[in-house]
Amino acid sequence: MIHVTRREHFNAAHRMYREEWSAEKNAEVFGKCANPNWHGHNYNLFVTVKGEVTHATGYLIDLKELKEIIHKYVIDKLDHSNINKDVDFMAGKMASTELLCIEIFNQLKGPVEAYEGVFLHSVKLHETENNSAEYFGG
Ligand SMILES: Nc1nc2c(c(=O)[nH]1)N=C([C@H](O)[C@H](O)COP(=O)(O)OP(=O)(O)OP(=O)(O)O)CN2
């Protein structure tokens, strides 16, 4: 069993707030992240797949193909987007690092595992240099 990781990058805007809460409560819970002016992050995404190496190629999966999957299902939707407003798989969800990480995993699981013998192991998402979330499914 080998683990192979592809790193990707996207820029996106978001805001942490709940419509049903007052401005005061949003500010109390989310601090500067609730500011009505949207703010952006330079996100770094790490997608790890696992399985056995194919003898003939020495590959688990061609990383060019993994890149294309990540772009089609995730990056093309998120890059230069407003996560709260523009991204179909985040509709109705809080734009936190945790939920974004989980939903990216859910987007990628089917397309990655359409490759025989390839399994999605984890998705790790850095919102800032210091803040990240990692999801292993389930
Ligand atoms: N559990 C979570 N907590 C927070 C999240 C989150 O997604 N999940 N998000 C935020 C903010 O959106 C943002 O990530 C924090 O920004 P900031 O405090 O500026 O983070 P830095 O790493 O740049 O700041 P340092 O304190 O200088 O490390 C807040 N909480």
Side-chain angles (χ1 to χ4, degrees):
M1 174 76 69
I2 189 90
H3 292 69
V4 174
T5 300
R6 170 77 191 173
R7 182 180 75 87
E8 290 289 345
H9 176 82
F10 60 92
N11 305 306
H14 79 156
R15 181 184 167 209
M16 298 299 300
Y17 71 107
R18 297 201 71 93
E19 291 281 4
E20 69 273 26
W21 290 357
S22 67
E24 292 73 24
K25 179 155 184 188
N26 274 300
E28 182 190 324
V29 174
F30 297 119
K32 64 184 178 183
C33 302
N35 190 311
N37 297 315
W38 305 93
H39 67 276
H41 293 285
N42 294 314
Y43 289 88
N44 276 303
L45 174 66
F46 299 84
V47 176
T48 300
V49 300
K50 63 186 176 186
E52 299 297 336
V53 173
T54 300
H55 180 73
T57 58
Y59 290 172
L60 164 62
I61 184 172
D62 187 334
L63 281 160
K64 287 199 303 290
E65 293 180 35
L66 183 57
K67 173 185 172 179
E68 283 164 13
I69 291 170
I70 299 168
H71 274 257
K72 178 175 178 184
Y73 292 95
V74 173
I75 303 296
D76 291 354
K77 296 181 178 188
L78 283 166
D79 197 26
H80 290 80
S81 76
N82 179 319
I83 297 169
N84 298 72
K85 293 181 168 183
D86 303 336
V87 181
D88 56 0
F89 62 81
M90 290 302 290
K93 299 185 173 75
M94 300 297 289
S96 68
T97 316
E98 290 93 325
L99 291 186
L100 187 52
C101 185
I102 290 169
E103 293 308 321
I104 290 172
F105 185 102
N106 291 338
Q107 289 296 304
L108 294 176
K109 187 171 171 62
V112 164
E113 296 190 357
Y115 285 77
E116 194 181 338
V118 181
F119 303 93
L120 184 57
H121 175 69
S122 64
V123 165
K124 185 170 189 180
L125 183 66
H126 272 264
E127 187 179 79
T128 71
E129 210 175 330
N130 300 320
N131 298 343
S132 67
E134 189 165 13
Y135 185 58
F136 297 87

